Amino acid sequence: MYSQKLLDLKNDYLAQRKIKMTEDQFAVLVYTFPSILVAYADGKIDRKEKSFMRELPEVLTEGYMEDGINVMASATLTKEYFTEVNYILRHLDEWQSQFLDALREQLHNSLNERNAIFEMMWRTADSSQDISEEERLKIEEISGTLGL
C-alpha cells in the first residue's frame, strides 16, 4: 500500500520525534504536506487555512484516491497532527526534501493521487481569500518537484 521510501521516512521521523503514529496517520501527514507548504507560503498559516486543513483528508479522497488509501478519509486532523505540522514547519530544512521525495515515489504510478494533491494545493491556497502570488509560486514549485 505505501512505498518503502514512505515507510522508511515514517520510521526515521518517528524515531527522531520519539512519538507513535500508525502508517495511515503518517501517510495523512505526507499526503497533506504540499498543502501545508502552500498554506505556509506567506510565512504563517492563518485561521481560515487551518480550518480548511482540518478537512484535507476528505478533500484528498474526494473521488480521486485509490481504494487502498481511502482509509485516510476517516482520519481526523487532531491536535497531534497540528503539533507535527508546527514541528515540520520549524524544521523544513531537515524534512521538506525527504517528505517530497517520499511523496513523489508514492505518487509515481497513480494519476488519480497526483490529481488529488494538485487540486488540494489549489483549494488550500483559495481557502483564506484570494490566491497570493507566493501561494501560486509555491504550487508551481511543488508541482514540478512531484511531477504533477
Side-chain angles (χ1 to χ4, degrees):
M1 182 156 131
Y2 299 118
S3 71
Q4 190 58 50
K5 191 168 224 163
L6 189 143
L7 296 175
D8 291 345
L9 176 60
K10 172 190 169 277
N11 292 335
D12 292 346
Y13 182 83
L14 297 183
Q16 180 166 331
R17 293 288 290 141
K18 296 178 178 42
I19 60 172
K20 292 183 180 182
M21 209 182 268
T22 67
E23 288 177 1
D24 291 335
Q25 289 169 325
F26 188 74
V28 168
L29 195 57
V30 173
Y31 273 85
T32 59
F33 187 68
S35 290
I36 293 166
L37 292 176
V38 169
Y40 192 67
D42 61 358
K44 63 181 175 14
I45 297 177
D46 66 35
R47 198 180 51 204
K48 289 181 181 177
E49 289 166 330
K50 188 172 182 178
S51 178
F52 178 77
M53 288 172 68
R54 292 183 195 285
E55 302 169 19
L56 285 177
E58 183 178 333
V59 171
L60 185 61
T61 58
E62 208 170 68
Y64 288 105
M65 301 305 281
E66 303 296 329
D67 289 339
I69 308 293
N70 277 341
V71 68
M72 291 182 359
S74 64
T76 55
L77 297 188
T78 62
K79 180 180 176 188
E80 290 81 16
Y81 169 84
F82 286 104
T83 297
E84 296 314 307
V85 167
N86 290 328
Y87 171 81
I88 292 168
L89 290 175
R90 287 191 315 273
H91 298 90
L92 276 178
D93 289 346
E94 180 177 358
W95 295 108
Q96 181 170 336
S97 64
Q98 293 183 67
F99 270 68
L100 291 175
D101 288 348
L103 184 57
R104 181 177 52 245
E105 184 172 304
Q106 182 69 29
L107 298 175
H108 178 69
N109 291 318
S110 177
L111 178 61
N112 288 340
E113 290 179 10
R114 289 194 307 269
N115 288 340
I117 298 293
F118 186 75
E119 181 179 336
M120 190 171 54
M121 287 191 296
W122 282 105
R123 289 175 71 177
T124 299
D126 195 40
S127 67
S128 57
Q129 291 181 5
D130 291 333
I131 297 171
S132 71
E133 182 66 9
E134 294 90 350
E135 290 167 331
R136 186 186 63 72
L137 290 172
K138 184 56 73 176
I139 290 170
E140 288 177 10
E141 174 191 330
I142 295 167
S143 294
T145 300
L146 296 178
L148 303 181

